[in-house]
Amino acid sequence: MFFSLKSRLIALILVLFVLSFGTLSFLLFAESRAVIRSYIESSALEKMEEYGSYIDMVQMQIYDVASLVFNSDMAKNWDNAMSDPQLSEGEKMLANLAMSRFLTQATNSYTSISDVSIYRRNGLRIGGENQVVGDPSFLQETWYTNFFTSGDRWLAAHTDVHERIRDHGNPVVSLLMPLGTFHHATARNVMKVNVSESYFLEPLSRIHLAKNSTIFLLNEQGQPLLSQQAHELGAGTLSDIEHIRNRTPKSGVEYLTNEAGGRDMMVYKKLGRTGWMLVGLAPEKEMYSSLHKLQTTTFVVTIAIILLSLCAAAWLSYGVTKPLTRLVLAMRQVQRGAFDQAESLLPPDQNVQSEISYVISTFRYMIVRLRQHIQNEFELKLLRQQAEYKALLMQINPHFMFNTLELVSSLAMQRRTDDTVQVIEDLGKMMRYSMHTNDDRVSLAEELAYVRHYISILQTRFGPKLDISIEESDRLDRLVMVKFILQPLIENAVKYAFQHQTTAQVCIRICRKDERLQLQIKDNGPGMPPDIISRLQDPETATSPLEPMLRNSSWHIGLGNVVARCRLHYGSLFAIHITNGDTQGTCIELVLPVQEENYVQRIDRG
């Protein structure tokens, strides 16, 4: 009786849960503390790294806009105008307004910048939005005097009473830089770049080391840059932070004793660009409070599970052995492909009164479905091939769209209205053509019209540096072909011709010879590597998986796309010939079977 399935299940559960529970719980919770501690430390350091990268990005934008203003001719001309005693007040006011507009443009170019203002020693302040104010009160500001005496460049979060247009009186963090010279003591002008404090606080508020944790952004003097107060750190903590600042590691975790006698975890990250430092403090007891609760809960739940498992084992073991054995025998028949014999071995559903009946019923249903799947295998392969073809057809190169939009923007800025309208019309016609995907075949005239629109855009973009021509023979009026064949080849030809030449020469020839349509694209580029030529001309590539080609971003993806689609559509009736010139250039020739518009039935692709 002891060797029955029921008895063995009960005995096994008692051994696993009762005898092993004490040892496992001790080891589990002894190691869990170390694992959780390691996870918390690594997670905290990761969060600090992410926020540090964000701070570096904001600092980079601040330095970029400061450098833009510092190195601009506008700032130099304005400074010269302000220092020229022969200029009238009206001329100086015009210079001030021009400088204000320049500051507005510089501010609008960077999303994180709240405002940029210039303070001159004669009491003049120039800000964005046409702010020209002669108010010498700022000369008495602490930040202004400290800049000239000690060269303090960064200001902690403060409310700028002189600049309220963009930040609406909200606290800002500022960078101070001299204008016109590199030395702060000799500067006539001070540039003040403001960034709203919310740009620093909003991502910082989403970082939580513990329930009552606090993260500080400290400047090079160890003082908080944001709205947190220095006394929140405590004198002892400030001393520890200063000690850590002088050490070599740029980031790490330290455990400190707080004023209440407890231990705090301190995570720090040094920011190399400005000497700033990120410091996060979290009470250690909060980090492990959940672990102690979990230990108690686990003990209670485990006892309950043991009792429930004993009951479940006695119930499940009844009536399982026999149907399970027959199920195993049926599975072996399925492995051999004998589906009929496997189904006959399965016990009837009404003779099994436990959960195993559901498994048997599902297995029987699986056998039936597997038969159907095998019968439909050929049809599914055809459908998959069609789906792969459509995927290749819809593949586009987004760089052309981006380049065209940049071209339209450049033409508009140059006020070349006619060229702008022409490019937009060509692009619109190309997009309308590409939207029609109901049929993968189009007339040769439509494909050539699409190519001419594309060439028109290229010629507008490159001007006389691009020499491109199309030669057509007779008897092409009623021919049809697979769409999107010529444009990718022309794009590759132009692209790689310009990489090695100042002028790109591309010649396109379309002719009909007997029952073959020949499409030839010739360029003056560097030529194509021999291994790529042999791979593309190999007919076996038609049967290779297409998914890697869809994901491929290498230089020959356009040509690979064309070859794959032509081989899927025309089969053995398609041919490609690729040759390199003696000195430079590549000639690609596609040979397609002739099809006319009245040809309705799909061709035999071999």
Side-chain angles (χ1 to χ4, degrees), residues 36-37 47 59 69 89 102 105 120 137 141 158 176 202 237 323 386 449 494 523 551 571 582 595 599:
I36 292 176
R37 177 175 177 173
K47 293 176 181 178
Q59 290 176 351
V69 177
E89 292 300 323
F102 176 73
Q105 294 174 358
R120 194 170 176 85
S137 61
E141 294 284 347
H158 64 287
L176 303 177
E202 183 177 352
T237 305
Q386 185 179 7
V494 173
D523 61 64
R551 296 196 306 261
D582 296 334
Q595 293 179 275
Y599 188 86

Side-chain angles (χ1 to χ4, degrees), residues 277-383:
M277 186 174 180
L278 281 171
V279 176
L281 293 175
E284 186 180 27
K285 62 180 182 180
E286 290 187 6
M287 296 188 296
Y288 303 113
S289 60
S290 298
L291 181 61
H292 296 301
K293 294 179 181 178
L294 178 62
Q295 185 176 13
T296 303
T297 303
T298 302
F299 180 80
V300 175
V301 171
T302 303
I303 297 299
I305 289 176
I306 291 176
L307 298 177
L308 292 175
S309 298
L310 291 174
C311 298
W315 180 62
L316 289 175
S317 60
Y318 178 77
V320 172
T321 306
K322 183 177 180 180
L324 187 59
T325 302
R326 298 185 66 178
L327 180 61
V328 172
L329 294 175
M331 288 181 177
R332 291 176 180 174
Q333 296 301 323
V334 170
Q335 281 185 322
R336 300 168 184 167
F339 297 106
D340 293 333
Q341 190 173 357
E343 190 173 2
S344 65
L345 288 173
L346 293 176
D349 292 340
Q350 62 270 17
N351 293 340
V352 182
Q353 301 299 327
S354 63
E355 288 82 358
I356 198 70
S357 61
Y358 176 77
V359 177
I360 295 174
S361 176
T362 303
F363 187 74
R364 182 183 285 107
Y365 177 75
M366 183 195 69
I367 294 175
V368 175
R369 295 292 296 170
L370 188 58
R371 287 174 179 167
Q372 296 177 355
H373 286 309
I374 293 176
Q375 293 174 357
N376 297 333
E377 181 179 1
F378 179 74
E379 182 178 357
L380 290 176
K381 286 184 178 179
L382 294 179
L383 292 175

Side-chain angles (χ1 to χ4, degrees), residues 328-496:
V328 172
L329 294 175
M331 288 181 177
R332 291 176 180 174
Q333 296 301 323
V334 170
Q335 281 185 322
R336 300 168 184 167
F339 297 106
D340 293 333
Q341 190 173 357
E343 190 173 2
S344 65
L345 288 173
L346 293 176
D349 292 340
Q350 62 270 17
N351 293 340
V352 182
Q353 301 299 327
S354 63
E355 288 82 358
I356 198 70
S357 61
Y358 176 77
V359 177
I360 295 174
S361 176
T362 303
F363 187 74
R364 182 183 285 107
Y365 177 75
M366 183 195 69
I367 294 175
V368 175
R369 295 292 296 170
L370 188 58
R371 287 174 179 167
Q372 296 177 355
H373 286 309
I374 293 176
Q375 293 174 357
N376 297 333
E377 181 179 1
F378 179 74
E379 182 178 357
L380 290 176
K381 286 184 178 179
L382 294 179
L383 292 175
R384 183 166 57 252
Q385 184 186 54
Q386 185 179 7
E388 290 174 341
Y389 179 82
K390 290 296 182 181
L392 285 170
L393 180 63
M394 294 301 297
Q395 184 188 62
I396 62 173
N397 185 354
H399 296 294
F400 167 70
M401 178 63 68
F402 296 152
N403 292 337
T404 304
L405 294 177
E406 291 177 356
L407 174 62
V408 172
S409 175
S410 176
L411 294 174
M413 293 178 65
Q414 299 176 37
R415 301 183 184 276
R416 294 167 58 182
T417 306
D418 294 341
D419 291 339
T420 302
V421 172
Q422 184 62 45
V423 170
I424 293 175
E425 289 181 354
D426 291 334
L427 180 60
K429 292 177 181 179
M430 291 179 65
M431 294 299 295
R432 180 176 298 176
Y433 176 79
S434 63
M435 292 295 181
H436 297 292
T437 59
N438 294 333
D439 192 357
D440 53 5
R441 295 189 305 163
V442 295
S443 67
L444 178 59
E446 291 177 329
E447 182 75 5
L448 290 178
Y450 175 81
V451 168
R452 288 190 174 92
H453 292 312
Y454 176 71
I455 292 175
S456 175
I457 294 176
L458 292 181
Q459 289 177 331
T460 303
R461 177 183 177 188
F462 296 108
K465 293 189 295 183
L466 175 62
D467 181 10
I468 187 168
S469 61
I470 301 179
E471 300 178 10
E472 303 176 41
S473 66
D474 298 328
R475 300 188 302 156
L476 302 178
D477 297 339
R478 298 177 56 84
L479 299 187
V480 296
M481 61 180 292
V482 176
K483 69 190 309 185
F484 297 136
I485 293 299
L486 290 172
Q487 185 268 334
L489 305 185
I490 298 172
E491 182 179 5
N492 270 357
V494 173
K495 175 181 177 181
Y496 292 99

Side-chain angles (χ1 to χ4, degrees), residues 528 532-533 536-537 559 576-580 586-589:
M528 190 178 297
I532 301 299
I533 294 178
L536 292 172
Q537 293 185 148
L559 179 55
I576 178 172
H577 306 290
I578 305 175
T579 57
N580 288 330
T586 301
C587 179
I588 301 175
E589 184 180 37

Side-chain angles (χ1 to χ4, degrees), residues 146-320:
N146 288 344
F147 175 76
F148 287 99
T149 56
S150 58
D152 293 339
R153 293 180 179 267
W154 286 99
L155 298 182
H158 64 287
T159 301
D160 197 326
V161 298
H162 303 285
E163 304 168 10
R164 293 176 175 270
I165 290 185
R166 287 182 177 267
D167 55 46
H168 305 288
N170 296 320
V172 294
V173 177
S174 304
L175 169 66
L176 303 177
M177 283 191 63
L179 194 62
T181 181
F182 291 100
H183 197 274
H184 60 87
T186 60
R188 295 191 300 264
N189 309 296
V190 179
M191 175 171 50
K192 188 168 182 283
V193 182
N194 293 338
V195 177
S196 177
E197 184 189 27
S198 62
Y199 260 87
F200 298 91
L201 284 178
E202 183 177 352
L204 190 61
S205 64
R206 295 193 292 267
I207 302 177
H208 301 285
L209 305 180
K211 183 178 180 181
N212 295 318
S213 63
T214 306
I215 299 178
F216 298 88
L217 178 60
L218 307 179
N219 60 17
E220 58 272 23
Q221 288 79 31
Q223 300 300 320
L225 278 165
L226 305 180
S227 298
Q228 298 136 321
Q229 299 299 319
H231 63 78
E232 295 183 20
L233 292 172
T237 305
L238 287 174
S239 176
D240 293 330
I241 292 175
E242 188 61 28
H243 176 70
I244 292 174
R245 183 187 295 275
N246 298 326
R247 291 165 52 184
T248 302
K250 295 184 178 180
S251 62
V253 179
E254 297 285 344
Y255 287 86
L256 311 176
T257 302
N258 56 35
E259 297 177 355
R263 284 170 56 85
D264 291 338
M265 182 185 73
M266 184 176 73
V267 186
Y268 66 93
K269 164 71 177 175
K270 299 177 184 178
L271 305 179
R273 187 185 301 276
T274 56
W276 292 1
M277 186 174 180
L278 281 171
V279 176
L281 293 175
E284 186 180 27
K285 62 180 182 180
E286 290 187 6
M287 296 188 296
Y288 303 113
S289 60
S290 298
L291 181 61
H292 296 301
K293 294 179 181 178
L294 178 62
Q295 185 176 13
T296 303
T297 303
T298 302
F299 180 80
V300 175
V301 171
T302 303
I303 297 299
I305 289 176
I306 291 176
L307 298 177
L308 292 175
S309 298
L310 291 174
C311 298
W315 180 62
L316 289 175
S317 60
Y318 178 77
V320 172

Side-chain angles (χ1 to χ4, degrees), residues 545-598:
L546 299 180
E547 184 180 357
M549 183 171 294
L550 292 172
R551 296 196 306 261
N552 195 351
S553 59
S554 61
W555 67 272
H556 60 280
I557 179 61
L559 179 55
N561 186 307
V562 169
V563 173
R565 290 195 289 115
C566 288
R567 281 183 173 145
L568 280 174
H569 187 87
Y570 297 109
S572 60
L573 300 180
F574 166 75
I576 178 172
H577 306 290
I578 305 175
T579 57
N580 288 330
D582 296 334
T583 58
Q584 64 179 11
T586 301
C587 179
I588 301 175
E589 184 180 37
L590 305 180
V591 180
L592 313 178
V594 169
Q595 293 179 275
E596 297 186 356
E597 292 181 354
N598 59 358

